[in-house]
């Protein structure tokens, strides 16, 4: 085992004397029984409270302390109003140190000492975070998700020069407006960026051709705020590569600060996705002032590994955060020094100082920490969410109680019409209804379910399942996937599609069969030969119509003390053998399945007669009794509460999948031009925005698999995946959102319309603008700018789309040595990699005109201008 010894010199903080710690008066004003949100600025020898009107504004030479408190299971942000909580509930407290990129070491050390005071004030019940500019945690960013963060240079507005200023707008889950330290082309402009140049007369919004549509919309919001502060200024949108199309007045102003003759825009460079490094667990000890960390485990970390309440543990997640967990019986002094210890560990391991660092006290674990463990038992039973399971339910009940539908993963009550199709690589066969509840492991099946008329208010009318047997051939899987996609496209609206693997059937799927699904080995004989085998043993799993199925047993089957078995003997006798620990519900479900096969005989464990032993044999009873009473069947339904569910924005950029988690998600985080993944543990939902790109839609299955593969907890790639379209979400998806407004996304504007709205002289109501779901009219992997001077004809739009979708490079580079060009550039088509302005300056015509020329003429011109 590797052991790290961390001495005082390895830490970048001086050791505080616990008994001498005095809580700052500003901290003492925060009630121990209230929720709220506070920000403090750290000076060299004191702290200052930051007013509400300045929340979200940070200066890169400063260090800030952010305190957020909320009732457990809820979230807080910068708009939370402080108030006393008089009811007996648990309050979660979080303290963040935010360190600006240019902040002094003295300020960061003083902040680290100050949060110890705040920690002492709350008796070590707070979770501490160390945040670095540009490397903030998802929880921190969620505080400013609505109004965004503004990061300015200097220490305050007094030390920041007045206009002009150049900003970059970035962040897809939290809009961040960061002031650039210089105004020039070479350092700041990239085709993936959105920039704002604020001058005395204009607020220029420069839109990179490969920028995110979310960032574009955010830039318009921020530009509108800038104009509100200076009503005499005008907003001008500048498209990447179309700068020469600006009006003469705009161009004159722009050239004062960013001369177009010096224009240099770097092409989009995709940063490689950080690979998931295995989690490493260290057990720590403090021996005579020497802090020691001993490596004890890599990956597969479980809650039981933290069973020593007298010890401290470090979980090293590398770029995803370094966590230090401190047992509740550890002395208070060591709890106060937790951040100092983990900083010493990072220095010893040569981790960058920008890695997030989080200190946790036993019993106060945040949800992002719990998410790293396969199972977590919360000791705080007083605040745990009650798991309400309905014995009897109907479609209307589920619609009225969407959270219950999400908990149970039921789209409806399963009372609609069902059709089953058997998939072959070259044929699709309709299965007769009497055989529709029997599947075979070597086959694939399509199940088309139409919801019952009683649920007419429900947005989903058709549910298409693809069931993939564990031994199915790849050709059958491919055929099934194609048929699934074909049916999904055929219905177009009011439809969801769900891919299910054998052994991972979700509750609604089982409910369609009323808990009487039978899964047999081998190939489906189909036709008249489709009948039950002469002998078999079925193990019954589940105790309700939405959790029960019967699977054919093998010698390798796992058993537990609550199982029931259905046995068909050589003489055709049907037995239902029930273990002593089986419940009455499980027995009833087993009887119902057995009744489909024949007249069952019920046999209880310990009451078997000679006739049973003669028919079944001693081998069966001996096998099922050799089991562990402690065996737990892995549950598919253990994760359903919203606090344990994650939402991700999914994008595909140059063939690379990028997932960005949205912390404390709400319905308004969903935007129609994007794709989102909702990971509910037992199922992954893929939400397709109505304006999402076709190329990205074609990659959604791969996106879901990628999400599973990078999850910190090892998971099966066979987790059910459901695809749902905007406006046609199943109730089992809607229930994961606190409030769902079906009309929220109805109002949408295309990007150009939003520009026109902002440019109108009488436009002043920014709140109305914020409520609009502004969309890009052309979205995709490389969003296409909308030039101001092009023709509106269909032919011209097609040509412009083709031209603008390509990466752009400087003219000198395209005319230079071909070996210096990226390999994907076709030497005979260099002209499509010119910007619009460069193209016009070279060829004296628009690309649309050039595209209409005969091919020989195009080649002649390209040779003439050294672009061939």
């Amino acid at each position: 085992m590797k052991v790290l010894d961390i001495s005082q010199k390895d830490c970048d903080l001086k050791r505080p004397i616990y008994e001498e710690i005095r809580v700052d008066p500003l901290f003492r004003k925060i009630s121990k029984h209230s929720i709220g949100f506070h920000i403090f600025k750290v000076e060299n020898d004191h702290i200052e409270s930051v007013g509400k009107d300045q929340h979200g504004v940070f200066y890169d030479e400063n260090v800030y302390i952010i305190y957020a408190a909320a009732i457990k299971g809820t979230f807080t942000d910068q708009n939370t109003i402080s108030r006393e909580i008089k009811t007996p509930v648990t309050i979660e407290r979080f303290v963040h140190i935010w360190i600006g990129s240019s902040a002094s070491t003295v300020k960061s050390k003083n902040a680290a000492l100050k949060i110890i005071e705040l920690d002492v004030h709350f008796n070590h019940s707070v979770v501490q975070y160390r945040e670095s500019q540009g490397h903030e945690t998802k929880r921190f960013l969620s505080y400013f998700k609505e109004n965004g963060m503004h990061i300015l240079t200097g220490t305050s507005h007094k030390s920041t020069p007045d206009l002009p200023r150049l900003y970059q707008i970035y962040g897809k889950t939290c809009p961040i407006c960061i002031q650039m330290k210089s105004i020039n082309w070479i350092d700041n402009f990239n085709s993936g960026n959105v920039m704002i140049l604020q001058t005395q007369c204009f607020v220029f919004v420069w839109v990179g051709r490969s920028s995110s549509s979310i960032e574009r919309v955010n830039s318009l919001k921020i530009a509108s705020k800038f104009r509100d502060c200076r009503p005499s200024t005008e907003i001008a949108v500048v498209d990447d590569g179309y700068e020469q199309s600006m009006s003469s007045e705009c161009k004159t102003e722009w050239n004062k600060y960013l001369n177009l003759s010096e224009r240099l825009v770097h092409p989009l460079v995709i940063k490689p996705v950080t690979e998931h490094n295995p989690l490493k667990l260290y057990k720590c000890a403090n021996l005579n002032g020497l802090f020691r960390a001993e490596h004890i485990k890599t990956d597969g970390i479980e809650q039981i590994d933290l069973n020593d309440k007298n010890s401290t543990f470090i979980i090293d997640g590398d770029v995803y955060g370094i966590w230090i967990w401190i047992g509740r019986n550890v002395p208070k002094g060591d709890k106060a020094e937790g951040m100092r210890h983990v900083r010493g560990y990072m220095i010893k391991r040569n981790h960058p100082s920008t890695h997030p660092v989080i200190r946790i006290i036993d019993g106060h674990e945040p949800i992002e920490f719990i998410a790293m463990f396969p199972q977590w038992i919360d000791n705080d039973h007083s605040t745990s969410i009650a798991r309400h399971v309905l014995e009897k339910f109907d479609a209307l009940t589920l619609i009225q109680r969407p959270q219950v539908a999400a908990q149970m993963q039921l789209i409806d009550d399963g009372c609609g019409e069902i059709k089953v199709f058997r998939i072959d690589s070259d044929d699709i066969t309709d299965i007769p209804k009497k055989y529709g509840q029997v599947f075979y492991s070597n086959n694939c099946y399509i199940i088309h379910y139409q919801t019952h008329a009683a649920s007419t208010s429900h947005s989903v009318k058709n549910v298409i399942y693809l069931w993939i047997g564990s031994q199915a051939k790849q050709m059958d899987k491919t055929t099934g996937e194609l048929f699934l996609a074909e049916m999904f496209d055929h219905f177009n609206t009011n439809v969801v599609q769900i891919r299910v693997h054998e052994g991972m059937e979700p509750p609604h799927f089982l409910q369609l069969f009323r808990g009487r699904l039978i899964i047999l080995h081998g190939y489906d004989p189909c036709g008249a030969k489709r009948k039950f085998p002469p002998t078999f043993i079925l193990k019954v799993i589940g105790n309700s119509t939405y959790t029960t199925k019967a699977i054919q047993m093998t010698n390798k089957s796992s058993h537990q003390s609550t199982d029931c078995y259905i046995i068909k003997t050589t003489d055709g006798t049907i037995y239902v053998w029930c273990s002593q620990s089986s419940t009455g519900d499980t027995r009833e479900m087993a009887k119902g399945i057995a009744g489909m096969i024949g007249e069952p005989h019920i046999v209880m464990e310990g009451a078997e007669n000679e006739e049973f032993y003669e028919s079944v044999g001693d081998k069966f009873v001996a096998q099922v009794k050799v089991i562990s009473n402690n065996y737990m069947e892995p549950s598919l339904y253990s994760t359903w509460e919203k606090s344990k569910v994650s939402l991700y924005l999914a994008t595909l950029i140059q063939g690379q999948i990028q997932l960005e988690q949205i912390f404390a998600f709400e319905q308004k985080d969903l935007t129609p031009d994007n794709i989102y993944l909702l990971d509910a543990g037992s199922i992954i939902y893929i939400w397709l925005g109505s304006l999402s790109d076709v190329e990205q839609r074609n990659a959604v299955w791969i996106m879901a698999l990628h999400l599973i593969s990078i999850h910190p907890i090892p998971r099966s790639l066979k987790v059910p995946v459901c695809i749902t379209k905007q406006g046609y979400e199943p109730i089992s998806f809607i229930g994961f959102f606190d409030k769902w407004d079906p009309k929220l996304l109805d109002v949408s504007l295309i990007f150009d319309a939003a520009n026109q709205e902002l440019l109108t002289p009488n436009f002043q109501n920014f709140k109305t603008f914020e409520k609009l779901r502004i969309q890009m009219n052309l979205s995709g992997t490389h969003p296409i700018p909308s030039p101001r001077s092009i023709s509106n004809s269909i032919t011209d739009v097609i040509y412009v789309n083709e031209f603008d979708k390509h990466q752009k490079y400087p003219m000198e580079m395209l005319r230079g040595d071909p070996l210096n060009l990226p390999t994907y550039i076709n030497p005979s088509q260099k002209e499509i990699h010119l910007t619009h302005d460069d193209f016009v300056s070279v060829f004296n015509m628009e690309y649309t005109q050039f595209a209409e020329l005969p091919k020989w003429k195009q080649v002649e011109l390209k040779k003439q201008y050294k672009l061939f």
Side-chain angles (χ1 to χ4, degrees):
M1 296 293 182
K2 186 175 182 180
V3 178
L4 296 176
D5 289 329
I6 302 166
S7 63
Q8 177 69 34
K9 65 180 181 180
D10 293 319
C11 303
D12 57 358
L13 303 174
K14 67 179 183 179
R15 181 173 183 175
I17 300 175
Y18 185 78
E19 291 75 15
E20 297 180 2
I21 294 174
R22 297 292 179 266
V23 178
D24 192 285
L26 285 177
F27 291 156
R28 290 202 300 266
K29 291 181 180 180
I30 304 175
S31 171
K32 297 181 180 181
H33 305 287
S34 69
I35 63 171
F37 187 84
H38 304 271
I39 298 181
F40 305 92
K41 184 173 70 172
V42 178
E43 296 295 349
N44 290 337
D45 57 353
H46 67 284
I47 60 172
E48 298 176 358
S49 181
V50 177
K52 282 278 187 183
D53 61 333
Q54 289 295 301
H55 283 189
V57 178
F58 297 88
Y59 290 86
D60 65 0
E61 293 183 17
N62 286 345
V63 176
Y64 297 85
I65 293 176
I66 295 87
Y67 172 77
I71 297 173
K72 188 171 183 178
T74 65
F75 300 99
T76 187
D77 60 25
Q78 65 183 94
N79 297 316
T80 300
I81 299 175
S82 298
R83 60 185 178 91
E84 293 280 332
I85 303 298
K86 298 180 180 180
T87 55
V89 296
T90 299
I91 296 177
E92 292 183 310
R93 301 179 176 89
F94 305 93
V95 176
H96 304 256
I97 297 177
W98 186 88
I99 303 173
S101 60
S102 301
S104 67
T105 304
V106 173
K107 287 184 178 180
S108 62
K109 289 183 177 180
N110 286 342
L113 295 173
K114 277 296 180 182
I115 65 167
I116 294 178
E117 298 177 20
L118 195 54
D119 188 50
V120 169
H121 177 59
F122 289 107
N123 194 28
H124 308 292
S125 64
V126 301
V127 182
Q128 298 178 9
Y129 295 76
R130 187 180 190 275
E131 315 271 358
S132 299
Q133 179 182 331
H135 302 271
E136 295 86 356
T137 62
K138 297 301 180 185
R139 178 180 287 276
F140 182 88
L141 293 176
S142 73
Y143 299 146
F144 308 99
K145 190 168 56 175
E146 183 173 345
N147 299 325
M149 291 176 61
H150 290 254
I151 303 176
L152 307 178
T153 59
T155 58
S156 70
H157 67 279
K158 295 178 182 179
S159 61
T160 304
D162 203 4
L163 304 178
R165 294 184 188 179
L166 181 66
Y167 304 91
Q168 181 186 348
I169 313 302
Y170 71 94
K172 298 175 183 176
T173 60
C174 170
I176 299 175
C177 175
I178 180 170
Q179 182 182 353
M180 302 289 98
K181 294 185 180 297
S182 62
I183 301 178
N184 61 67
W185 286 102
I186 192 168
D187 293 332
N188 302 307
F189 284 80
N190 180 296
S191 63
N193 292 348
V194 179
M195 311 297 294
I196 290 181
L197 175 63
Q198 187 181 17
T199 73
Q200 294 288 353
C201 303
F202 288 93
V203 178
F204 293 99
V205 180
W206 184 88
V207 182
R209 69 182 58 254
S210 301
S211 59
S212 159
S213 60
I214 294 177
E215 291 171 344
R216 295 183 183 195
V217 171
N218 288 336
S219 71
L220 293 183
K221 294 180 180 181
I222 294 169
S224 177
K225 290 182 179 180
F226 285 164
R227 188 177 69 174
D228 291 344
C229 295
R230 292 174 176 267
S232 60
T233 58
E234 297 180 22
I235 295 176
V237 176
V238 184
D239 290 318
D240 176 11
Y242 290 83
E243 290 85 0
Q244 297 290 352
S245 300
M246 286 188 284
S247 67
S248 58
E249 184 182 3
C250 288
K251 197 184 303 184
T252 300
E253 182 75 2
W254 178 275
N255 276 321
K256 291 179 183 178
Y257 314 103
L258 290 164
N259 198 301
L260 290 176
S261 64
E262 301 172 357
R263 181 187 185 278
L264 177 61
V265 176
H266 300 284
L268 177 67
V269 177
I270 305 299
K271 295 180 180 179
V273 176
T274 305
E275 294 185 4
H276 167 62
N277 292 320
L279 298 175
K280 295 180 179 179
L281 178 66
Y282 292 82
K283 188 172 184 178
C284 309
N286 198 340
L287 304 174
N288 300 321
L290 184 66
F291 188 72
R292 170 171 291 188
E294 179 183 0
H295 179 222
I296 60 174
K297 197 172 187 180
T298 297
D299 251 357
I301 300 173
E302 300 178 277
Q303 186 180 8
I304 195 172
D305 295 323
L306 308 178
N307 61 352
D308 188 347
K309 307 299 181 183
N310 300 301
S311 295
T312 296
F313 295 86
I314 288 177
I315 298 178
D316 189 341
D318 202 20
V319 296
Y320 295 102
I322 314 296
W323 306 76
I324 182 167
W325 181 93
I326 302 176
R328 64 185 61 189
N329 297 333
V330 170
K332 290 183 177 180
D334 288 341
K335 290 178 180 177
E337 294 185 40
M339 290 294 272
R340 185 178 73 89
H341 288 151
V342 76
R343 288 287 295 151
Y345 163 84
M346 290 179 65
I347 294 171
K348 200 76 172 181
R349 288 294 310 275
N350 294 319
H351 280 315
S353 61
T354 54
H355 281 5
V357 180
I358 306 98
R359 188 218 68 173
I360 304 166
I361 302 298
D362 177 16
H364 300 279
E365 294 84 1
I367 58 173
E368 57 268 43
F369 178 79
I370 292 174
M372 296 190 296
F373 296 81
Q375 289 183 328
W376 187 274
I377 300 175
D378 192 346
N379 294 322
D380 185 7
H381 299 292
S382 62
T383 59
S384 62
I385 300 175
R387 295 178 178 271
H388 181 73
V389 179
L390 300 177
E391 294 298 330
K392 294 182 179 180
F393 56 87
D394 54 31
L396 182 59
T397 300
L398 294 173
I399 291 172
Q400 293 173 340
R401 306 178 67 180
Q403 286 189 329
V404 173
Q407 172 189 350
M408 301 171 70
Q409 274 307 293
L410 292 173
I411 296 175
D412 71 348
D413 55 8
C415 292
E417 297 295 323
I418 181 173
K419 292 182 180 179
V420 179
F421 303 88
R422 176 180 178 269
I423 302 297
D424 285 320
S425 56
D426 56 356
D427 192 21
I428 298 174
T429 307
D430 190 352
I431 300 296
K433 192 171 183 178
K434 63 179 180 179
Y435 296 128
Q437 291 173 299
V438 181
F439 289 1
Y440 288 79
S441 292
N442 288 53
N443 292 97
C444 296
Y445 299 88
I446 288 285
I447 299 90
H448 174 208
Y449 173 72
Q450 292 180 293
T451 57
H452 195 266
S455 59
T456 51
S457 60
H458 202 288
S459 61
V460 175
K461 308 302 180 188
N462 298 280
V463 183
I464 316 296
Y465 283 101
L466 168 62
W467 185 89
I468 301 172
S470 59
Q471 303 300 318
K473 296 183 296 184
Q474 183 57 49
M475 290 184 65
D476 291 352
K477 295 179 187 178
T478 302
T479 302
E481 290 165 0
L482 292 173
F483 189 42
L484 178 70
E486 183 181 333
M487 293 188 71
F488 187 65
D489 292 338
H490 169 73
F491 288 107
N492 189 27
T493 60
N494 304 103
V495 60
V496 298
Q497 59 169 309
I498 307 174
R499 187 181 297 189
V500 177
H501 286 84
E502 179 183 344
M504 303 287 281
E505 295 84 3
H508 183 257
F509 182 87
L510 298 176
Q511 177 63 25
L512 300 185
F513 304 98
R514 304 296 188 275
R516 295 184 178 184
L517 177 67
I518 298 174
I519 302 174
L520 301 176
H521 298 318
Y523 286 96
D524 189 339
C526 208
K529 298 179 181 178
R530 205 172 200 272
K531 59 181 66 175
F532 289 107
T535 62
F536 56 76
I537 300 175
L538 302 176
K539 182 173 74 168
V540 178
I541 300 173
N543 57 10
S544 67
T545 56
Y546 52 88
T547 61
T548 302
K549 60 186 173 183
I551 58 175
Q552 190 170 358
M553 181 180 164
T554 66
N555 291 333
K556 296 181 180 180
S557 298
S558 60
H559 313 287
Q560 66 184 102
S561 58
T562 57
D563 286 339
C564 291
Y565 295 85
I566 299 171
I567 308 157
K568 183 180 179 184
T569 64
T570 53
D571 62 1
T573 305
I574 306 297
Y575 289 101
V576 176
W577 184 88
C578 307
S579 62
Q580 288 183 346
S581 300
S582 61
T583 65
D585 290 336
T586 302
R587 296 171 195 169
E588 287 301 315
M589 296 306 300
K591 291 178 187 177
I593 297 173
M596 297 167 51
I597 306 168
E599 186 65 32
H601 300 271
I602 311 302
V603 178
M604 292 297 301
E605 180 184 3
E608 301 90 349
N609 54 29
E610 290 299 324
E611 181 182 355
F612 174 80
Y613 282 118
E614 289 177 2
S615 297
V616 176
D618 297 338
K619 183 179 179 180
F620 163 76
V621 178
Q623 180 183 0
V624 298
K625 284 189 176 182
V626 183
I627 58 177
S628 169
N629 289 332
N630 296 323
Y631 176 80
M632 293 287 290
E633 185 80 25
S635 175
L636 285 177
Y637 322 114
S638 59
T639 302
W640 67 270
E641 298 100 329
K642 182 185 174 182
S643 61
K644 295 181 181 179
V645 175
S646 303
L647 181 69
Y648 297 85
L649 170 64
T651 53
L652 184 70
I653 302 179
Q654 293 184 359
Q656 184 172 292
I657 297 171
Q658 294 189 342
L659 301 177
E660 190 163 350
Q661 184 179 357
I662 302 173
F663 197 84
F665 64 86
E666 303 171 275
Q667 184 192 0
K668 62 183 178 182
D669 292 314
L670 304 173
T671 55
D673 51 346
N674 285 295
I675 293 172
Y676 296 83
L677 304 183
L678 184 77
D679 186 357
S682 62
I683 188 170
I684 293 176
Y685 287 93
I686 300 173
W687 186 88
L688 304 178
S690 60
L691 300 177
S692 57
D693 180 63
V694 174
E695 180 184 358
Q696 308 234 12
R697 289 188 178 209
N698 293 335
V700 293
W701 294 113
I702 301 175
M703 290 176 176
L705 293 176
H706 178 68
L707 173 60
I708 297 170
S709 66
I710 65 172
H711 199 276
I713 301 172
R715 299 167 67 185
S716 170
L717 294 176
K718 297 181 179 180
V719 171
V721 177
C722 173
I723 298 181
T724 179
K725 296 181 180 181
Q726 176 189 333
Y728 306 103
E729 299 86 357
I731 198 71
S732 54
F733 172 88
I734 289 173
F736 288 116
F737 296 81
D738 285 340
K739 296 179 181 179
W740 185 271
D741 180 2
K743 298 181 180 180
L744 181 63
L745 300 177
D746 286 352
V747 180
S748 62
L749 295 177
I750 62 175
F751 185 64
D752 280 341
N755 290 343
Q756 294 301 317
E757 187 76 13
L758 283 170
L759 294 172
T760 54
N762 59 353
F763 176 76
Q764 296 179 348
N765 189 354
F766 182 72
K767 290 184 178 180
T768 302
F769 172 74
E770 283 185 312
K771 292 179 181 179
L772 298 175
R773 312 305 292 174
I774 302 170
Q775 308 308 325
M776 304 300 301
N777 57 335
L778 295 168
S779 59
T781 305
H782 303 293
I784 303 166
S786 303
R788 305 287 171 262
S789 58
I790 65 170
S791 168
N792 289 326
S793 72
I794 295 177
T795 303
D796 284 356
V797 169
I798 293 174
Y799 284 141
V800 170
N801 289 359
E802 175 64 26
F803 176 73
D804 268 334
K805 75 179 184 181
H806 297 282
Q807 287 278 21
K808 305 301 178 182
Y809 294 91
M811 193 183 334
E812 295 74 13
M813 183 177 176
L814 293 170
R815 284 174 168 171
D817 188 347
L819 296 178
N820 294 330
L821 296 175
T823 55
Y824 58 80
I825 290 183
N826 186 338
S828 65
Q829 291 185 307
K830 291 180 181 180
E831 75 281 359
I832 63 176
H833 297 284
L834 289 169
T835 66
H836 167 268
D837 293 343
D838 284 345
F839 190 96
V840 172
S841 68
V842 171
F843 293 99
N844 296 312
M845 67 181 75
E846 303 257 346
Y847 179 78
T848 53
Q849 298 169 301
F850 178 84
E852 294 289 349
L853 296 175
K855 293 296 181 184
W856 66 267
K857 184 63 174 177
Q858 293 181 13
V859 173
E860 184 179 276
L861 288 173
K862 288 189 288 186
K863 288 180 178 180
Q864 178 182 344
Y865 298 117
K866 301 178 182 180
L867 285 168
F868 189 82

